[in-house]
Amino acid sequence: MNRDQELFERARRVIPGGVDSPVRAFGSVGGTPLFISRAEGAYVFDENGDRYVDLVCSWGPALLGHAHPEVVAAVREAAVRGLSFGAPTLAEVELAEAVRARVPAAEQVRFVSTGTEATMTAVRLARGATGRDAIVKFAGCYHGHSDALLAAAGSGVATQGLPGSAGVTQAAARDTIVVDYNDLDALERVFAEAGDRIAAVITEAAPCNMGVVAPAPGFNAALRDLTSRHGALLIVDEVLTGFRVHGGGWLGLEGNAYAPDLVTFGKVVGGGMPLAALGGRADLMQLLAPVGPVYQAGTLSGNPLATAAGLATLRLADRGIYGHVDDRSTQLQLAVGEALTAAGVPHVVQNAGNLFSVFFRDGEVSTYDDAKAQDQAAFARFFHAMLDQKVALPPSAFEAWFLSAAHDDKAMDQIVSALPAAARAAAGS
Ligand SMILES: *Cc1c(COP(=O)(O)O)cnc(C)c1O
């Protein structure tokens, strides 16, 4: 048994499944997760002492690469001044200003610690603002693990949600209506039937948690129109896309052609520390306590180490950084497509800006049902063949592949030269 295997066994005795977040357990690909001892630039090192090119990037935050020296220095400087105060700080104001400067829809910003809290608060705020109970979400969009947002689609086109997890009450799920992604007709039917009950539509700016499924052209703008017509709010979840696909997130990439009422951030905005945010129209944000009646709070909210990491990250994330990540992404999308084609593996590569994923099936994916109809066993073989060649992909066929500004020619060469053997493994030959 190697050290990772030993640790996994030990972890499973004291931590359910050995992990603190399910996908880390390698459940859908099998085998033993890497126990990471450190990370630097484009690489992670596991407890066996092996080095891997990392395509997880902490599931998004590591836009600049792991342990960027200037981000680490900012956190160090903050740490010696104190780890947590539970009081307002200059850095929170600066970070809120930095978010607003990049995302015009975020007129005011409230910091929290996780994306889950950001979307949960957005839902509560939407209900408080409209006095309505129902929320519409799309099948395959992930917004964290709060009860209302863990509703699963039932059968039928657009259905009253079913609990998406044990422990979610029927009542919580009942107020969540689940609609197929990219299906405007279904959404219009839902509004025609229940428009006066709907507090908000929540959507990923560009879904990346069922694999990458970009919105059809005009889809988000149509959500804006439809919600406005019915007096419902539009919540755009940029926890994954925000500050990653563009300095202004997906909204910025689409030229801020439409403005959501509320927008949520996480991942990159915290630069690798536990920090997330809710932003939106000032009149709505003013409904949050202490100004308004919608309660929300957090002992560690706006933590000084987290705001330091976030500020340093946003300041460094200039056009050059996004240009680099965009170029690397294009390069890798082409290379993986070529390798899979050469090996005769059915696949489709889809992107939303520099975020992309590979579906192991033929034909475009525009809904969660499409995404599920792929050959997950082929992905698992591909994944392990890459891992054998010291390239760490996200351990699920339903995740984006993450690049960073630290993925240089050397790291890219290692990934690209691993692809042909992995494609042959996927083909089962
Ligand atoms: C990761 C993610 C979340 C949840 O954020 P956590 O910090 O894991 O709670 C919410 N929405 C989207 C789109 C995400 O990708």
Side-chain angles (χ1 to χ4, degrees):
M1 236 200 286
N2 69 34
R3 183 138 173 84
D4 284 346
Q5 288 164 335
E6 269 168 34
L7 273 173
F8 195 36
E9 221 177 77
R10 194 170 140 195
R12 277 181 295 183
R13 269 180 241 130
V14 285
I15 300 171
V19 294
D20 286 324
S21 198
V23 71
R24 297 179 192 172
F26 276 31
S28 69
V29 291
T32 306
L34 306 182
F35 277 69
I36 305 300
S37 58
R38 70 185 181 92
E40 188 182 337
Y43 301 96
V44 291
F45 299 77
D46 73 351
E47 291 282 353
N48 293 328
D50 290 324
R51 186 185 84 164
Y52 295 81
V53 182
D54 182 28
L55 290 172
V56 183
C57 286
S58 183
W59 304 95
L63 173 70
L64 304 173
H66 290 290
H68 188 286
E70 289 180 52
V71 178
V72 171
V75 173
R76 268 209 183 102
E77 278 168 34
V80 294
R81 291 195 300 267
L83 299 181
S84 174
F85 314 126
T89 62
L90 167 63
E92 285 169 282
V93 183
E94 289 180 332
L95 187 56
E97 287 168 350
V99 169
R100 189 174 68 173
R102 287 162 178 76
V103 183
E107 293 172 359
Q108 292 207 322
V109 183
R110 170 64 58 84
F111 292 110
V112 293
S113 299
T114 67
T116 293
E117 276 181 90
T119 56
M120 179 185 77
T121 305
V123 166
R124 185 180 306 140
L125 183 50
R127 287 173 167 157
T130 59
R132 300 173 178 180
D133 292 342
I135 296 291
V136 177
K137 81 173 286 288
F138 296 103
C141 282
Y142 179 68
H143 303 291
H145 63 95
S146 67
D147 283 5
L149 296 171
L150 274 186
S155 54
V157 189
T159 48
Q160 190 169 289
L162 304 169
S165 158
V168 172
T169 63
Q170 299 281 349
R174 203 177 304 129
D175 282 328
T176 304
I177 300 166
V178 183
V179 180
D180 270 348
Y181 191 65
N182 272 325
D183 190 345
L184 270 183
D185 291 343
L187 191 65
E188 283 186 12
R189 284 200 295 280
V190 165
F191 269 98
E193 258 175 50
D196 58 351
R197 281 210 306 125
I198 296 170
V201 172
I202 184 167
T203 186
E204 281 189 63
C208 296
N209 285 291
M210 53 174 142
V212 175
V213 179
F219 182 72
N220 286 354
L223 297 184
R224 172 68 292 178
D225 288 346
L226 193 58
T227 46
S228 296
R229 266 191 278 132
H230 289 270
L233 302 188
L234 176 62
I235 305 169
V236 168
D237 182 352
E238 290 245 42
V239 169
L240 189 46
T241 46
F243 313 109
R244 175 160 267 283
V245 295
H246 181 274
W250 183 261
L251 293 170
L253 198 70
E254 294 206 312
N256 292 302
Y258 49 91
D261 300 293
L262 297 172
V263 53
T264 52
F265 306 100
K267 300 193 169 103
V268 174
V269 75
M273 297 287 289
L275 184 132
L278 165 66
R281 268 169 42 200
D283 62 311
L284 292 170
M285 295 297 289
Q286 293 280 324
L287 295 175
L288 287 175
V291 196
V294 178
Y295 192 69
Q296 188 279 328
T299 302
L300 295 177
S301 292
N303 173 270
L305 274 59
T307 47
L311 261 179
T313 299
L314 292 194
R315 283 175 180 156
L316 288 161
D318 59 12
R319 269 167 201 268
I321 296 288
Y322 291 108
H324 176 99
V325 177
D326 289 354
D327 290 348
R328 295 313 193 186
S329 170
T330 305
Q331 180 192 352
L332 186 50
Q333 287 176 56
L334 288 171
V336 70
E338 275 168 23
L340 290 169
T341 300
V345 179
H347 68 279
V348 53
V349 181
Q350 293 192 184
N351 77 295
N354 59 38
L355 287 163
F356 73 98
S357 69
V358 181
F359 296 96
F360 284 77
R361 53 161 280 160
D362 283 321
E364 196 194 341
V365 171
S366 61
T367 66
Y368 190 36
D369 284 338
D370 296 344
K372 284 189 287 192
Q374 63 172 317
D375 186 349
Q376 289 193 61
F379 173 78
R381 293 192 296 273
F382 182 85
F383 170 87
H384 277 291
M386 292 297 279
L387 203 63
D388 288 344
Q389 298 172 88
K390 302 290 179 268
V391 178
L393 287 169
S396 158
F398 296 95
E399 302 290 348
W401 298 19
F402 296 96
L403 286 158
S404 79
H407 284 75
D408 56 8
D409 288 342
K410 211 167 141 255
M412 293 303 290
D413 285 350
Q414 189 178 332
I415 302 168
V416 170
S417 37
L419 292 170
R424 287 193 299 274
S429 56

